[in-house]
Structure formats: structure tokens, C-alpha cells
Amino acid sequence: DTGVSQDPRHKITKRGQNVTFRCDPISEHNRLYWYRQTLGQGPEFLTYFQNEAQLEKSRLLSDRFSAERPKGSFSTLEIQRTEQGDSAMYLCASSLGDRGIHEQFFGPGTRLTVL
Amino acid sequence: GQQLNQSPQSMFIQEGEDVSMNCTSSSIFNTWLWYKQDPGEGPVLLIALYKAGELTSNGRLTAQFGITRKDSFLNISASIPSDVGIYFCAGHWYDMRFGAGTRLTVKP
């Protein structure tokens, strides 16, 4: 399977704990995106990378959130001191990054539940 | 927050019927995309549109990029039970914005 993969698929944690999610994009894709999706809503943009450079961050991405893509391949999203409001589906997507091509392909998501 | 208005919010139709949903925005976009999402899964890309006025088909699905660049619609013809899911429109300018989705239920 050469699609976008995410790990873990589900994570249950207690408030105040730190969590880290991983995303492996489609191998030839330069751009990688993180989104958050809550029930009844569409995905909301968090941040994106062009290769290893983090080019944009949404205001939704508080100081407790950090994302990395150290070698321009896989990416991690860490949430520190989780809060109940962080409970959501965290989606990763990747795209070729070619100029004018904006088709993003999504992974299956990581569903986070903060107790 | 969301800048796209997607309607209807939900649809209940009989198998074999045609479906139409649309998305409007106060802003222009250079790309419109339509995705389908099943419960517990990520969105799957159905159709991408790049030019105002463009009409594109993918099997029983047809989508159009509005002339004003502020709207798009998706039609599904002859619906089948596996069409059930949530359909999202997305518009791209500097970043991607998603609608809140149209939940489609198909009765056999």
C-alpha cells in the first residue's frame, strides 16, 4: 500500500499527558499537512511542510502543539499537556507540491480521546 | 473557522435517485475539490477542479467549478448504497478550506 499512513489509529490519554502521532506520506510527495477534525465538521488546517521546512502554522496550533518533519519524509505531531478540548481526529495529508497542483491525499487519521 | 457554506447538511434518498450538493464561499478559490469520508476514516479525493467553468466527471460523479470561482457543485447519478458517507467540498487559495459536509444516506 503506497498511500498515506498514520500511527496510531486511536489514542486514549489522560488530561495533562503528552502524546505524539506519526504520519508517513506518499513517498514522492514533497508537501505534508496536518489537520484536525471534530465531530460534524470538516478538517481544519493546522500546519504544513514543504520537504523539511514548516512553512505555515494556523492560529489553531497553540504553543502546546509542535510538528516536525526532520528528514523531509515522515512527520510527527506532538501535543503537550493534553486538554479535553484536544479530543478530535488528527488527519495527515500529502501532495506533490508542484505549482498549481493542490490535490491532497489523506491518511486514515488518529482519533485522540482525552479523558 | 470555515469559510465555505455547504448544503444541504444531510440528504436521505432512495437507491437509484440522483443527488446534488453544492458549496459556496464569499472568497474566490483557484481550486475546488470534492472528498468522501466514511466513518473512522480519512477523506478520499473524488474530483479536483482547476478552471472556472470546468465540468469534470468521475464515473457517476460530476462536479463543476463555478464561473465566479466562489462556488462548486457535485452531482451523483443513480445512487447506490455504497454512496453513503459524508461529502466535503474544499477550496484552495493560499491554503485549503473545507465545508462542514453533506451526510448522504441511501435507502435500498
Side-chain angles (χ1 to χ4, degrees), chain A residues 70-89:
Chain A
K71 298 181 181 178
S73 56
F74 73 92
S75 175
T76 58
L77 177 69
E78 181 183 17
I79 309 174
Q80 296 182 326
R81 304 181 302 282
T82 52
E83 302 173 356
Q84 288 184 326
D86 296 332
S87 295
M89 173 81 94

Side-chain angles (χ1 to χ4, degrees), chain B residues 4-83:
Chain B
L4 301 185
N5 297 309
Q6 189 170 349
S7 65
Q9 285 188 327
S10 61
M11 302 183 74
F12 296 83
I13 63 168
Q14 208 71 36
E15 183 178 358
E17 290 183 353
D18 296 344
V19 171
S20 184
M21 60 190 79
N22 69 82
C23 215
T24 60
S25 171
S26 57
S27 308
I28 64 171
F29 292 104
N30 56 22
T31 305
W32 281 95
L33 304 100
W34 286 90
Y35 289 85
K36 178 176 182 276
Q37 187 173 28
D38 293 327
E41 299 294 329
V44 174
L45 181 63
L46 299 173
I47 292 180
L49 302 156
Y50 287 95
K51 294 180 183 178
E54 179 182 353
L55 186 71
T56 297
S57 293
N58 177 7
R60 293 178 296 105
L61 277 61
T62 302
Q64 185 159 30
F65 191 140
I67 290 291
T68 65
R69 300 171 69 185
K70 293 183 179 181
D71 63 324
S72 177
F73 71 75
L74 175 71
N75 287 341
I76 305 173
S77 63
S79 58
I80 59 178
S82 62
D83 291 334

Side-chain angles (χ1 to χ4, degrees), chain A residues 26-90:
Chain A
I26 294 171
S27 59
E28 63 267 28
H29 284 184
N30 296 324
R31 291 194 175 181
L32 186 148
Y33 309 79
W34 284 100
Y35 290 85
R36 182 173 71 186
Q37 186 179 26
T38 53
L39 199 62
Q41 298 297 318
E44 292 179 292
F45 170 79
L46 292 178
T47 188
Y48 94 92
F49 293 82
Q50 172 82 29
N51 298 312
E52 65 274 9
Q54 188 173 16
L55 296 187
E56 189 176 341
K57 292 194 285 187
S58 161
R59 286 171 294 179
L60 291 175
L61 211 66
S62 76
D63 291 345
R64 297 184 297 105
F65 287 68
S66 63
E68 294 182 343
R69 194 183 183 196
K71 298 181 181 178
S73 56
F74 73 92
S75 175
T76 58
L77 177 69
E78 181 183 17
I79 309 174
Q80 296 182 326
R81 304 181 302 282
T82 52
E83 302 173 356
Q84 288 184 326
D86 296 332
S87 295
M89 173 81 94
Y90 289 85

Side-chain angles (χ1 to χ4, degrees), chain A residues 9 37 42 100 102-104 107, chain B residues 31 35 37 40 42 50 88 92 96:
Chain A
R9 293 291 309 272
Q37 186 179 26
H102 303 297
E103 297 172 28
Q104 295 182 19
Chain B
T31 305
Y35 289 85
Q37 187 173 28
Y50 287 95
F88 290 100
H92 184 278
M96 192 85 83

